[in-house]
Amino acid sequence: MSDKHMETGEGHIGYPGYIGVFTILVVGTIFTYFSSFWDLDSIFPGANTLLALAIAFTKMTFVMLFFMHVYWSPRLIWLSAVASFFWLAIMFAYTMQDYFTRGLGVFSV
Amino acid sequence: MQNVDAINSGIPAIPKDNYLTNGFSLKSWLLTKDHKRIAIMYLITISMFFMAGGLYASAIRLELLTPETDLLTSATYNKVFTQHGILMIFFFLIPSIPAVLGNFLLPIMIGAKDLALPRINLLSLYIYWIGGALTVFALLQGGVDTGWTFYTPYSTTFSNSYVMAVGLGIFINGFSSILTGLNFIVTVHTMRAPGMTWFRLPLFVWAQYATSLVMILGTPVIAITVLLLAIERTVGVGIFDPAIGGDPILFQHLFWFYSHPAVYIMILPGMGVISELISNFSRKKIFGYEFIAFSSIAIAVFGFLVWGHHMFVSGQSIYAGMVFSFLTMVVAVPSAIKMFNWTATLYKGSISYDTPMLYAIGFMGLFLIGGLTGLFLGAIGLTVHLTDTYFVVAHFHYVMVGGQVIAYLGGIHYWWPKMTGRMYSEFWGKISAMLVFIGFNLTFFPQFIVGYQGMPRRYASYPAEFQVLNIFSTAGASVLGVGLVMPVIYLGASLINGKPAGDNPWMLPGLEWRTSSPPPTENFEKTPVVTWEAYEFGEESGLDLDGARRRDQVSTVV
């Protein structure tokens, strides 16, 4: 994205593009709803949750890239966006290290 | 040379138009976009919350004067300590330095006319007012008794108090923090004056920048957590309550993921103030500028990795506990870097013991004790004995009051002449600073002892053998109270009969001292060009400070 676009505030992908992204979000939501009825946990525990999170992550990526204009933004904005994921990963990872190691070692039952 | 008055320091400045005289109507204040006026409105509101929180603290200390439950019932006591915590943490400690001193000074210190997003700044104030009003309303209706931590499942299932309303107040208030943090980051990136490079920024600005990162990253998590709590409480979705499939420890993970970094939201700006005070009142370039600057960023980052040390005895995995314990020791390193650098700055400095410096020296001693006792609590074995005792209460008050509040008071005294154009009574300032220091230690040091001996926190009654130390605490609290009320009186009096401060009463090279006191609405008559390094006391700073000091001494004698 050129600076000119940033200055003029043009819709980067235009209304058809925005409607396309919105459609993807709606389809993703419907897909999340129906997939919750599938017994994916029989494949491996947590598979249902994993699929739901994958859909949510995809939807969020579209929102960030196009609705929030990150796709056309300077590198500093990209860095901020990536850093926020890194930070989110910290929250999940350090919380999960608790859940995954409960009952292990001296406290195993 | 930016301002002639800076050279003529000590001599009353010629009255000029300033931000205080730029409109006197209520509308001119309520619809202002001037960061300085917004800061003043924050100052007034935050001071009121501080006094309200202080009244609750008084009730706690009076109840604990005797071992029996006599002044308050146990149920009322639960509400009193909860409301003390909520008001002090969410409505005083977190916003105070950023919203008051940061708002007022950050743009001036970087040579900007205002914050980058002035309307957002005003919006953050209104959000703070709305969140505060809702919380106060809920407290007056009957309050909340969960402790400021809102631990589940008590808060979601059993408590009959106003959990939802207070939670909503805190939820709303969080957006004020986020907007302030966002504003500061954008301002520092985009509004610096020509020549104001990153490594010429005052360390107060670095600290505000680091704090803003924590505000933006952490505050949404507490907002979401409170929202989840509300959903469980109203709709009954099993998130935290094990009886309906939830996990109460998940609440603690989410809560502390914000609330531990929130400790750094409170203390980091205080450290920024102390860096200013130590260097400027030692009249010496700060030792290890880059280390102090980056240690603020390191604290902000590592602060997000240690939240589990609040949960050592909660049922958290022992392995997670070990990791969090180790990381807790790591986060002590950047704090120690600051302490060592401040000490090295003092070495061979030309120290003047003005009121702000008394607060700064008090901070160093008290924060040292607060920090070192934090290591006791971060040690995974010892903490089992100390958890939920008065040792914890003493520790965090040494950090929060001994650190943040002392730094805030130091900062207010330091920049008061700039904010108001008036000098306060140095005599009463020093008396007050010493009363705060003595009263604080008398209040909280005995709590380390009773805590170590096993007195649990959050109970209205206690075994009789702890009474003597509790009497010390209550007596100390009354001294502390007097010390804290005094600035309201003599600072208020200075507005009426205070000596005009001049533009640079402390004779310092910082950018904020190169504009008039009080500053004009646009901060500078013309955009300053920075050609000197931070904390430069030599001729390179462009100010003949030694000459100004000599002239000031002569004029004082005359």
Side-chain angles (χ1 to χ4, degrees), chain A residues 87 90 94 98-99 101-102 105, chain B residues 217 247 253 257 307 317 319:
Chain A
W87 167 85
I90 288 172
Y94 280 82
D98 169 26
Y99 285 94
T101 58
R102 280 200 201 154
Chain B
L217 291 172
D247 178 12
H253 275 299
F257 184 76
W307 77 85
S317 139
Y319 295 101

Side-chain angles (χ1 to χ4, degrees), chain A residues 13-76:
Chain A
I13 51 176
Y15 284 113
Y18 284 132
I19 291 169
V21 173
F22 181 70
T23 307
I24 290 170
L25 298 181
V26 172
V27 169
T29 305
I30 295 169
F31 186 37
T32 307
Y33 174 76
F34 283 107
S35 69
S36 67
F37 294 104
W38 304 341
D39 183 17
L40 299 178
D41 280 8
S42 58
I43 303 171
F44 62 88
N48 271 100
T49 307
L50 193 65
L51 178 62
L53 284 174
I55 298 167
F57 189 86
T58 308
K59 287 162 61 183
M60 179 200 63
T61 306
F62 272 96
V63 170
M64 281 181 62
L65 289 179
F66 301 109
F67 282 175
M68 297 174 74
H69 295 188
V70 169
Y71 186 77
W72 297 277
S73 295
R75 286 185 178 179
L76 184 63

Side-chain angles (χ1 to χ4, degrees), chain B residues 142-222:
Chain B
V144 64
D145 65 350
T146 59
W148 78 275
T149 46
F150 292 97
Y151 270 13
T152 57
Y154 180 72
S155 60
T156 53
T157 309
F158 302 106
S159 175
N160 291 320
S161 55
Y162 284 75
V163 175
M164 291 290 290
V166 174
L168 184 61
I170 291 169
F171 177 82
I172 292 170
N173 184 49
F175 288 94
S176 173
S177 271
I178 294 169
L179 294 179
T180 300
L182 181 72
N183 219 340
F184 284 1
I185 287 177
V186 176
T187 303
V188 173
H189 274 276
T190 62
M191 303 280 284
R192 300 192 311 277
M196 179 57 85
T197 61
W198 280 88
F199 290 105
R200 284 177 175 170
L201 286 174
L203 288 166
F204 178 73
V205 176
W206 272 99
Q208 292 293 340
Y209 184 84
T211 307
S212 301
L213 291 175
V214 184
M215 282 173 160
I216 289 181
L217 291 172
T219 313
V221 177
I222 190 70

